[in-house]
Amino acid sequence: MSNSAFEKVYNPAVVEDKWGKFWLAEELFKARVDSEKSAFSIVIPPPNVTGSLHMGHALNVTLQDILVRYKNMKGFNTLWLPGTDHAGIATQNVVEKLLADEGLDRQSMGREKFLERVWLWKEQSGDTITNQLKRLGASCDWSRERFTMDPGLSRAVRHAFVLLFKKGLIYRANYMTNWCPRCHTALSDLEVDFKTVHGKLYYIRYPGEQGADVLVATTRPETMLGDTAVAINPSDKRFAGWEGKRVSLPLTGRTIPIISDKMVDPEFGTGAVKITPAHDFNDFEVARIHNLPFVRVISENGSMSEDAGERYRGLDRIECRKAVVKDLEAIGLLDRVEDYTHNVGCCYRCETVVEPTVSLQWFVRVAPLAEKAIDAVKRNRTSIIPEMWEKTYFEWMYNIKDWCISRQIWWGHRIPAWHCNECGAVTVELDDPERCGQCESMHLTQEEDVLDTWFSSALWPFSTLGWPDSTRELEVYYPTSVLVTAFDILFFWVARMMMMGLEFMDDVPFRHVFIHALVRDVEGYKMSKTRGNVIDPLEVMEKYGTDAFRFTLTALAAQGRDIKMSEERIEGYRNFINKLWNTARFIHLNLGGFKEGDPEPDCVEDLWILSRLGKTVRGVTEAFDEYRFNEAAGLIYQFLWHEYCDWYVEISKPYLIGDMGDREKERKQIILVFVFGTVLRLAHPIIPFVTEEIWHSLPGERGSLLLERFPEFDENVVDEESEVEMNYLISLIRAVRHLRRELNIPPGYFAKVRLRGGMLERVKKMETVVKRLARLESIDYLPEGAVVRNEASSVAEDTDIFLPIKGVLDFKAERERIEKAIAKLMRERKGLVDKLSNSEFVMKAPEGLVNTTRAREEEIGRKLERLNVNLQLFTE
RNA sequence: GGGCGGAUAGCUCAGGUGGGAGAGCACCAGCCUUACAAGCUGGGGGUCACAGGUUCAAAUCCUGUUCCGCCCACCA
């Protein structure tokens, strides 16, 4: 490309479009299943097929992309498998809303028509999210994209269901589950969110024999219609002897027994609890123990059922509550109503208040599966990073309850079970059965329910690789190397993949689980549409560029803390990308006469920059290997900007102008390009677009950075000696600048400086450079012991710096300046002296530490000596 | 109720195995120095929440306290 395309300000749009297309066209993301190289594989956490990119995806995908690009460059046979999730309830809700706008509903359409409609919607919107991922630069092998309802994956689901069923790990039972009356389906425990509600506590009187009334309290008065007992605590003296008595249940004409059970908390409410076995988890358990009848008064759509009685039947549960309260009041049995704050379970998809209800559902018996999943993490077959999440994982796994997997919706994998119309037996087979397994009847009806979305997600790491067939893909890429996800689906997904992977593949689904942060807004709140604090990743990419956005996410992705995202931060890192861009511009402007060659460092700054580069390579590599993404970003930022640009580039300028001869110029050019190219390779996993663009603009034959080898750390480049020398020069230049500033010498004025002591040979060698960086006209070198009067002074390490100023020197100001410097050093030295005079420190601390402490103390001592000498000159 | 985090500069945070308190942004001052004003140079600013303890040495390890956040459970 021509240099003219290098504008002062980086314009990401064109560059991103160009390389995004290039990578796809060249098929650089394709996994080579037959490769000899060792494998590195990731399956993407499949986003909802109808979703669109939010901050959480952006972070998740960026981190995975970094790993995949990095491992690619490290020479691995990488696979990053993309795909989407059918997201049963969520998607069905979306389509139902669309239908509602057209005045339609799914019931009247029928199952088949409705599903056609959902598929249509899926086809229309399914590409949105994947296109957005491509926009982010995700290096997925798109040819292997999967969808949880693909034929292949559906087959895997069926296989898994049948195997679990035959093993007795799936059963069907009448059991208490959470029921969402709006979605019209059962939900698993995890799919219920509890919300704090300011409601009422109603005290209701149940009349007993001979005026021995019982007062009960409830937040859901309508459920009283389904009460079949009142429970008291056996040790509660207030109710001694009441057990076995009967009370009449108002509004129903029924009488119910008083039972005793230690589940009742005598401290709470009235000490007597109404028992509604069909609509409360605790009451359900109590009823089973005490053999109480179940009266189901709320039906599937949330309205009152026939058993609620003629008067209430058909009323919505909320309406019914009002009616019941009114009726109780009318007959004087509503004792009182109190304000009451409590938690109410709501559907995680539509936020409707769920009703615990007894119904016939399918469950996975998880205890035996959980045991293996616990063991695998305990034995580090899978490790969770950061480690603290392992505790959460164990905590949940130990208390796991059976998993309700049937949903009464239509969008999903239909449960492969057939009910016999004659004997009622259930037949579950891999192929659709023609006859009942029990009575051979041919009159079979397939189960209406579909499976929980998370059932298919649980198989994702191997169903996407071809299971249940034995494929080459499974052989090469399973177990996957790492799963990258946020903690909010640790239970929903990660835990269940562990269980299923171990069950069906007999091995863990991934070696590592990296749990990253949640992205929040500046205030630390979760981003949500209702809160209106959402930052749209697409807008960010539009405004600041994808690389700037990715770099921001990476730099903020410290382990263990959530990310507070703000535009300000993105702007800061956008500036970094621009800095990188302008570094490239600078290099291009100075490539005149460039000849390719190997770096031949022969002076301090060359050795220094290569040494620093080496250490940066080492640091970034370690950081990537240990998922410390923010550290990698920080190291690159620091090196490129504050070492390479601030110092090496600045130092190289006189060379590039030609002041030091052609040979030296070439040498600098080669090192400049070499170091910069190495930085581009280091940074490519984080900021792929801009690095690719710049990389191709550098001289020489250059293929895609993706095919380049990631820099290797070579310890031979580490050169402590030149680092010490450079640090000396840097502090010398800084001291001169500082001095100029304090003396108010205008930046444009070239001053004269005289130096005494220290590494003056070093300075002489680099005089041109030092003069340029410190803006000096000349440097004089004084012999040690030379007396200087009437000049402002400073000390850098063990060099005295003198700066004559025009006119009369302000003795007082000068004295104060030096005294200030002395005071600062004295404070620093005191700490060191205290340590060194402590015999225990000298005895017990490691020798190296004692030595460096002593050396530092001596260094400060020398500096102080010099300052004191200078101070003398102003106190006479 | 059970569990897990966090508290470090004005703000947002970094500080693997204890050994010189850091970054970015913001702020102050001065600069369009021929890559970059999305830049350059210099500067100010912190009892590392509080109280104890271990240690020659604690932001870092231990105990307790306070305040914030989150997860699980769901108490009628």
Coordinates of all heavy atoms in Angstrom, one line a residue, chain A residues 696-740:
Chain A
H696 N 1.2 -5.2 6.8 CA 1.3 -5.4 5.4 C 1.9 -4.2 4.7 O 2.4 -4.2 3.6 CB -0.1 -5.6 4.7 CG -0.5 -7.0 5.0 ND1 -0.4 -8.0 4.0 CD2 -1.1 -7.6 6.0 CE1 -0.9 -9.2 4.5 NE2 -1.3 -8.9 5.8
S697 N 2.0 -3.1 5.4 CA 2.6 -1.9 4.8 C 4.1 -1.8 5.1 O 4.8 -1.0 4.5 CB 1.9 -0.6 5.5 OG 2.4 -0.4 6.8
L698 N 4.6 -2.7 6.0 CA 6.0 -2.6 6.2 C 6.8 -3.3 5.1 O 6.2 -4.1 4.4 CB 6.3 -3.4 7.6 CG 5.7 -2.7 8.8 CD1 6.1 -3.6 10.0 CD2 6.3 -1.3 9.0
P699 N 8.0 -3.0 4.9 CA 8.8 -3.5 3.8 C 8.9 -5.0 3.9 O 8.9 -5.6 5.0 CB 10.1 -2.8 3.9 CG 10.1 -2.0 5.1 CD 8.8 -2.0 5.7
G700 N 9.1 -5.6 2.8 CA 9.3 -7.1 2.8 C 8.1 -7.8 2.4 O 7.0 -7.3 2.3
E701 N 8.3 -9.1 2.1 CA 7.1 -10.0 1.7 C 6.4 -10.3 3.0 O 6.9 -10.8 4.0 CB 7.7 -11.3 1.1 CG 8.0 -11.2 -0.3 CD 6.7 -10.9 -1.2 OE1 5.8 -11.7 -1.0 OE2 6.8 -9.9 -1.9
R702 N 5.1 -10.0 3.0 CA 4.4 -10.2 4.3 C 3.0 -10.9 4.0 O 2.2 -10.3 3.3 CB 4.2 -8.9 5.0 CG 5.5 -8.4 5.6 CD 5.4 -7.1 6.3 NE 6.7 -6.6 6.6 CZ 7.4 -6.9 7.7 NH1 6.8 -7.7 8.6 NH2 8.6 -6.4 7.9
G703 N 2.8 -12.0 4.6 CA 1.5 -12.7 4.6 C 0.7 -12.2 5.8 O 1.1 -11.3 6.5
S704 N -0.5 -12.8 6.0 CA -1.3 -12.4 7.1 C -0.6 -12.7 8.4 O 0.1 -13.6 8.6 CB -2.6 -13.2 7.1 OG -3.3 -13.0 8.3
L705 N -0.8 -11.7 9.3 CA -0.2 -11.9 10.7 C -0.7 -13.2 11.3 O 0.0 -13.8 12.2 CB -0.7 -10.7 11.6 CG 0.3 -9.5 11.6 CD1 -0.3 -8.4 12.5 CD2 1.6 -10.0 12.3
L706 N -1.9 -13.6 10.9 CA -2.4 -14.9 11.5 C -1.5 -16.1 11.2 O -1.5 -17.0 12.0 CB -3.8 -15.2 10.9 CG -5.0 -14.8 11.7 CD1 -6.2 -15.1 10.9 CD2 -5.0 -15.5 13.1
L707 N -0.7 -16.0 10.1 CA 0.1 -17.1 9.8 C 1.6 -16.9 10.3 O 2.4 -17.7 10.1 CB 0.2 -17.2 8.2 CG -1.2 -17.5 7.6 CD1 -1.1 -17.4 6.1 CD2 -1.8 -18.8 8.1
E708 N 1.8 -15.7 10.9 CA 3.1 -15.4 11.4 C 3.3 -16.2 12.7 O 2.3 -16.5 13.4 CB 3.3 -13.9 11.7 CG 3.5 -13.1 10.4 CD 4.8 -13.4 9.8 OE1 5.8 -13.6 10.5 OE2 4.9 -13.5 8.5
R709 N 4.5 -16.4 13.1 CA 4.8 -17.0 14.4 C 4.7 -15.9 15.5 O 5.2 -14.8 15.3 CB 6.2 -17.7 14.4 CG 6.2 -18.9 13.6 CD 5.1 -19.9 13.9 NE 5.2 -20.4 15.3 CZ 5.8 -21.5 15.7 NH1 6.3 -22.3 14.8 NH2 5.8 -21.8 17.0
F710 N 4.1 -16.3 16.6 CA 4.1 -15.4 17.7 C 5.6 -15.3 18.2 O 6.3 -16.2 18.2 CB 3.2 -15.9 18.8 CG 2.8 -14.9 19.9 CD1 1.8 -14.0 19.6 CD2 3.5 -14.9 21.1 CE1 1.4 -13.1 20.5 CE2 3.1 -13.9 22.0 CZ 2.1 -13.0 21.7
P711 N 6.0 -14.0 18.6 CA 7.4 -13.9 19.0 C 7.8 -14.8 20.2 O 7.0 -15.1 21.0 CB 7.4 -12.4 19.5 CG 6.3 -11.7 18.8 CD 5.2 -12.8 18.6
E712 N 9.0 -15.3 20.1 CA 9.5 -16.2 21.1 C 10.5 -15.4 22.0 O 11.3 -14.7 21.5 CB 10.2 -17.4 20.5 CG 9.3 -18.4 19.7 CD 8.5 -19.3 20.6 OE1 8.9 -19.5 21.7 OE2 7.5 -19.8 20.1
F713 N 10.4 -15.7 23.2 CA 11.3 -15.0 24.1 C 12.7 -15.7 24.0 O 12.8 -16.9 24.1 CB 10.8 -15.1 25.6 CG 11.9 -14.6 26.6 CD1 12.3 -13.3 26.6 CD2 12.4 -15.5 27.5 CE1 13.3 -12.9 27.5 CE2 13.3 -15.1 28.4 CZ 13.7 -13.8 28.4
D714 N 13.7 -14.8 23.8 CA 15.1 -15.4 23.7 C 15.9 -14.7 24.8 O 16.1 -13.5 24.8 CB 15.7 -15.0 22.4 CG 17.2 -15.3 22.3 OD1 17.7 -15.9 23.2 OD2 17.8 -14.9 21.3
E715 N 16.3 -15.5 25.8 CA 16.9 -14.8 27.0 C 18.3 -14.2 26.6 O 18.8 -13.4 27.4 CB 17.1 -15.8 28.1 CG 18.0 -17.0 27.9 CD 18.0 -17.9 29.1 OE1 17.8 -17.4 30.2 OE2 18.2 -19.1 28.9
N716 N 18.8 -14.5 25.5 CA 20.1 -13.9 25.1 C 20.0 -12.4 24.8 O 21.0 -11.7 24.8 CB 20.7 -14.6 23.9 CG 21.1 -16.0 24.2 OD1 21.6 -16.3 25.2 ND2 20.8 -16.9 23.2
V717 N 18.8 -11.9 24.6 CA 18.6 -10.5 24.3 C 18.6 -9.7 25.5 O 18.7 -8.5 25.5 CB 17.4 -10.2 23.4 CG1 17.4 -11.0 22.1 CG2 16.1 -10.5 24.2
V718 N 18.3 -10.4 26.7 CA 18.3 -9.6 27.9 C 19.7 -9.1 28.2 O 20.6 -9.8 28.2 CB 17.8 -10.5 29.1 CG1 17.9 -9.7 30.4 CG2 16.3 -10.9 28.8
D719 N 19.7 -7.8 28.4 CA 21.0 -7.1 28.6 C 20.9 -6.1 29.8 O 20.6 -5.0 29.6 CB 21.5 -6.4 27.3 CG 22.9 -5.9 27.5 OD1 23.4 -5.7 28.6 OD2 23.5 -5.6 26.4
E720 N 21.1 -6.6 31.0 CA 20.9 -5.8 32.2 C 21.8 -4.6 32.1 O 21.4 -3.5 32.6 CB 21.2 -6.6 33.4 CG 20.2 -7.8 33.6 CD 18.8 -7.5 33.8 OE1 18.5 -6.3 34.0 OE2 17.9 -8.4 33.7
E721 N 23.0 -4.8 31.6 CA 24.0 -3.7 31.6 C 23.5 -2.5 30.8 O 23.5 -1.3 31.3 CB 25.3 -4.2 31.1 CG 26.5 -3.3 31.5 CD 27.8 -3.8 30.9 OE1 27.9 -5.1 30.7 OE2 28.6 -3.0 30.5
S722 N 23.0 -2.7 29.6 CA 22.5 -1.6 28.9 C 21.2 -1.0 29.4 O 20.9 0.2 29.3 CB 22.4 -2.0 27.4 OG 21.6 -3.1 27.2
E723 N 20.5 -1.8 30.1 CA 19.3 -1.3 30.8 C 19.7 -0.3 31.9 O 19.1 0.8 32.0 CB 18.4 -2.4 31.4 CG 17.7 -3.2 30.3 CD 16.5 -4.0 30.7 OE1 15.8 -3.5 31.7 OE2 16.2 -5.0 30.2
V724 N 20.8 -0.7 32.6 CA 21.3 0.3 33.6 C 21.8 1.5 33.0 O 21.5 2.7 33.4 CB 22.4 -0.4 34.4 CG1 23.1 0.6 35.3 CG2 21.9 -1.6 35.3
E725 N 22.5 1.4 31.9 CA 23.0 2.6 31.2 C 21.9 3.5 30.7 O 22.0 4.7 30.8 CB 24.0 2.2 30.1 CG 25.3 1.7 30.6 CD 26.3 1.3 29.4 OE1 26.1 1.9 28.3 OE2 27.2 0.5 29.6
M726 N 20.9 2.8 30.1 CA 19.8 3.6 29.5 C 19.1 4.3 30.6 O 18.7 5.5 30.5 CB 18.8 2.7 28.8 CG 18.9 2.8 27.3 SD 19.0 4.4 26.6 CE 17.3 4.8 26.5
N727 N 18.9 3.6 31.8 CA 18.2 4.3 32.9 C 19.0 5.5 33.4 O 18.4 6.5 33.7 CB 18.0 3.3 34.0 CG 17.0 2.2 33.7 OD1 16.1 2.5 32.8 ND2 17.0 1.1 34.4
Y728 N 20.3 5.4 33.3 CA 21.1 6.5 33.7 C 20.9 7.7 32.7 O 20.7 8.8 33.1 CB 22.6 6.1 33.7 CG 23.5 7.3 33.7 CD1 23.7 8.0 34.9 CD2 24.2 7.7 32.6 CE1 24.6 9.1 35.0 CE2 25.1 8.8 32.7 CZ 25.3 9.5 33.9 OH 26.1 10.5 33.9
L729 N 20.9 7.4 31.4 CA 20.7 8.5 30.4 C 19.3 9.1 30.6 O 19.2 10.3 30.5 CB 20.9 7.9 29.0 CG 22.4 7.7 28.7 CD1 22.5 6.8 27.4 CD2 23.1 9.0 28.5
I730 N 18.4 8.2 30.8 CA 17.0 8.7 30.9 C 16.9 9.6 32.1 O 16.3 10.7 32.1 CB 16.0 7.5 31.0 CG1 15.9 6.9 29.7 CG2 14.6 8.0 31.5 CD1 15.1 5.6 29.7
S731 N 17.5 9.2 33.2 CA 17.3 10.1 34.4 C 18.1 11.4 34.3 O 17.7 12.4 34.8 CB 17.7 9.3 35.7 OG 19.0 8.8 35.6
L732 N 19.2 11.3 33.5 CA 20.0 12.5 33.3 C 19.2 13.5 32.4 O 19.1 14.7 32.8 CB 21.3 12.2 32.5 CG 22.2 13.3 32.2 CD1 22.9 13.9 33.5 CD2 23.3 13.0 31.2
I733 N 18.6 13.0 31.4 CA 17.8 13.9 30.5 C 16.6 14.4 31.3 O 16.3 15.6 31.2 CB 17.3 13.1 29.3 CG1 18.5 12.8 28.4 CG2 16.3 13.8 28.5 CD1 18.3 11.7 27.3
R734 N 16.0 13.6 32.1 CA 14.8 14.0 32.9 C 15.2 15.1 33.8 O 14.5 16.1 34.1 CB 14.2 12.9 33.6 CG 13.5 11.9 32.7 CD 12.3 11.3 33.5 NE 11.4 10.7 32.5 CZ 11.0 9.5 32.5 NH1 11.4 8.6 33.5 NH2 10.1 9.0 31.6
A735 N 16.4 14.9 34.4 CA 16.9 15.9 35.4 C 17.1 17.3 34.8 O 16.8 18.3 35.3 CB 18.2 15.4 36.1
V736 N 17.7 17.2 33.6 CA 17.9 18.5 32.8 C 16.6 19.1 32.5 O 16.4 20.3 32.7 CB 18.7 18.2 31.6 CG1 18.8 19.5 30.8 CG2 20.1 17.7 31.9
R737 N 15.6 18.3 32.0 CA 14.3 18.9 31.7 C 13.7 19.5 32.9 O 13.1 20.6 32.9 CB 13.4 17.8 31.2 CG 13.7 17.3 29.8 CD 12.9 16.1 29.5 NE 13.1 15.6 28.1 CZ 12.6 14.4 27.7 NH1 12.0 13.6 28.5 NH2 12.8 14.0 26.4
H738 N 13.8 18.8 34.0 CA 13.2 19.2 35.3 C 13.8 20.6 35.7 O 13.1 21.5 36.1 CB 13.4 18.2 36.3 CG 12.7 18.5 37.6 ND1 11.4 18.5 37.8 CD2 13.3 18.9 38.8 CE1 11.1 18.8 39.1 NE2 12.2 19.1 39.7
L739 N 15.1 20.6 35.6 CA 15.8 21.8 35.9 C 15.4 23.0 35.1 O 15.1 24.1 35.6 CB 17.3 21.6 35.8 CG 18.3 22.6 36.4 CD1 18.0 22.8 37.8 CD2 19.7 22.2 36.1
R740 N 15.3 22.8 33.8 CA 14.9 23.8 32.9 C 13.5 24.3 33.3 O 13.2 25.5 33.3 CB 14.7 23.2 31.4 CG 16.0 22.8 30.8 CD 15.7 22.2 29.4 NE 15.0 23.2 28.6 CZ 15.5 23.7 27.5 NH1 16.7 23.3 27.1 NH2 14.8 24.6 26.8

